[in-house]
Amino acid sequence: MLDHPLPELEDWILLFSNNSLPVLRVTKRRLEEMRENLDAVDVRELARVILQDPIMTVRVLAYIQPMRGRFLQHDITTIGGAILMAGIEPFFHRFENLPTIEEQLHDQDPHALLGVLQVIRRAQRAADYAQDWAIRRQDINMEDVRIAALLHDLAEILVWCFAPKLGLMIHQLQVLEPTLRSADAQKRVLDFTFLDIQLALCGVWHLPELLKTLIDDDHAEQVRVRNVTLAVRLARHSAHGWNDPALPDDYRDIGKLLNTTPATVCRRLGVDVPAQFAEQDDEDTPAQPQ
């Protein structure tokens, strides 16, 4: 376990590329159950299992990319497509005896396991939001958006898994200084941001360009990137309840994305409508398209 920051970005990339990335224990268990009867494996159900686990998702995408280069001229950006390209039996052969996050952090500070599981749960919620909004926007490739939201904070998850002390330091900084930007806290501890690490990993793993773009908030002028960014923001701001002062701005921006009102956004989320939006009629006064 790493207990100090690495001096160069390339060192972080080597750390994560040269180690077998751990998956959730529940993912390993579900894959083992399916492996017992390969003839009965349903690709859609297998994809659903994988798409609940950010690390398993990126492992599958990284595994399939060299194969794609030999057989196809376009990127595979769906998990179901990746499984079909690999074949059921080779897929299960490749992903057996997987290490788990829970095993890897067993002897660490218990707060480290709690920390990484919270980030993963946040990523799962962001993916659900992103997919729901992509469907409402009639995005015909909504799984791209879901995967991008799921992987948006992958580097943070990896730091928790391989450098839990540093993950705890970043978390404690943000607790002690609530107004400190997340990226600034990351730079103080790591000398790099999670996004710096993540985009570099996307290149090393040859992930599809589309996913790299969707994960990068700097491309926020694109509606699909806004879809991902807002889903991640909402999941982050609501992680500890629905009282975060940043949430009203999120509701406004989501309303613009979906061409509806903030009040409608709140109702669809099943949360109380803030007072400043309460007088807005949910369907009669849509926001103007952006």
Side-chain angles (χ1 to χ4, degrees):
M1 286 292 168
L2 191 69
D3 60 3
H4 59 277
L6 296 173
E8 302 292 340
L9 184 59
E10 291 76 9
D11 296 326
W12 286 103
I13 306 312
L14 285 172
L15 173 69
F16 298 139
S17 299
N18 291 342
N19 285 280
S20 184
L21 303 184
V23 303
L24 288 168
R25 181 168 53 200
V26 65
T27 303
K28 180 178 181 178
R29 183 171 68 245
R30 291 288 287 117
L31 292 179
E32 288 176 345
E33 291 170 354
M34 291 182 173
R35 183 179 288 109
E36 292 175 1
N37 189 1
L38 293 182
D39 292 338
V41 170
D42 182 289
V43 171
R44 287 173 298 181
E45 178 58 27
L46 176 54
R48 278 193 289 270
V49 171
I50 293 166
L51 285 168
Q52 289 297 313
D53 188 325
I55 293 182
M56 188 65 200
T57 296
V58 82
R59 288 191 62 156
V60 172
L61 289 172
Y63 164 60
I64 203 68
Q65 295 313 308
M67 194 179 303
R68 177 209 62 80
R70 292 197 299 271
F71 297 110
L72 292 177
Q73 297 302 312
H74 60 83
D75 286 331
I76 296 175
T77 58
T78 69
I79 295 302
I83 295 167
L84 290 173
M85 172 60 73
I88 294 293
E89 191 168 341
F91 173 88
F92 278 95
H93 177 71
R94 173 65 179 82
F95 296 110
E96 60 183 350
N97 301 319
L98 292 167
T100 69
I101 294 170
E102 290 84 351
E103 292 167 349
Q104 182 147 324
L105 296 177
H106 177 71
D107 295 328
Q108 300 299 310
D109 185 324
H111 293 94
L113 179 58
L114 178 62
V116 71
L117 292 179
Q118 286 176 337
V119 178
I120 291 173
R121 177 56 185 147
R122 197 177 72 210
Q124 292 169 337
R125 293 177 63 224
D128 288 342
Y129 293 142
Q131 177 174 310
D132 179 55
W133 303 341
I135 291 170
R136 292 182 185 278
R137 289 179 34 254
Q138 299 182 329
D139 189 326
I140 59 174
N141 296 313
M142 60 88 179
E143 189 172 314
D144 300 339
V145 174
R146 177 182 182 87
I147 290 175
L150 185 71
L151 300 185
H152 189 279
D153 294 330
L154 178 67
E156 182 175 1
I157 294 170
L158 294 177
V159 168
W160 276 110
C161 288
F162 289 91
K165 290 182 180 178
L166 301 183
L168 286 168
M169 287 173 63
I170 294 169
H171 174 71
Q172 288 164 356
L173 261 181
Q174 293 182 276
V175 170
L176 292 172
E177 300 182 46
T179 60
L180 182 66
R181 293 177 64 249
S182 298
D184 291 336
Q186 295 156 24
K187 279 191 173 182
R188 276 198 206 175
V189 175
L190 306 176
D191 291 330
F192 304 98
T193 67
F194 291 143
L195 183 60
D196 293 334
I197 297 171
Q198 187 146 304
L199 292 178
L201 283 171
C202 285
V204 170
W205 291 334
H206 305 291
L207 296 190
E209 285 295 327
L210 174 62
L211 288 180
K212 288 190 276 185
T213 299
L214 291 176
I215 289 171
D216 189 350
D217 297 343
D218 287 342
H219 295 281
E221 75 281 357
Q222 300 181 27
V223 67
R224 302 180 86 210
V225 177
R226 288 206 304 276
N227 190 333
V228 171
T229 301
L230 290 173
V232 171
R233 269 175 47 186
L234 181 65
R236 184 182 297 274
H237 292 155
S238 63
H240 302 293
W242 294 93
N243 298 316
D244 192 292
L247 283 169
D249 287 338
D250 293 341
Y251 302 148
R252 287 191 188 93
D253 291 341
I254 296 164
K256 292 176 183 177
L257 174 76
L258 300 178
N259 192 27
T260 190
T261 65
T264 300
V265 172
C266 295
R267 293 186 179 100
R268 287 176 177 170
L269 291 169
V271 300
D272 292 336
V273 178
Q276 65 262 49
F277 305 138
E279 294 183 0
Q280 296 183 15
D281 189 20
D282 58 344
E283 297 295 344
D284 291 342
T285 55
Q288 293 301 311
Q290 298 297 303

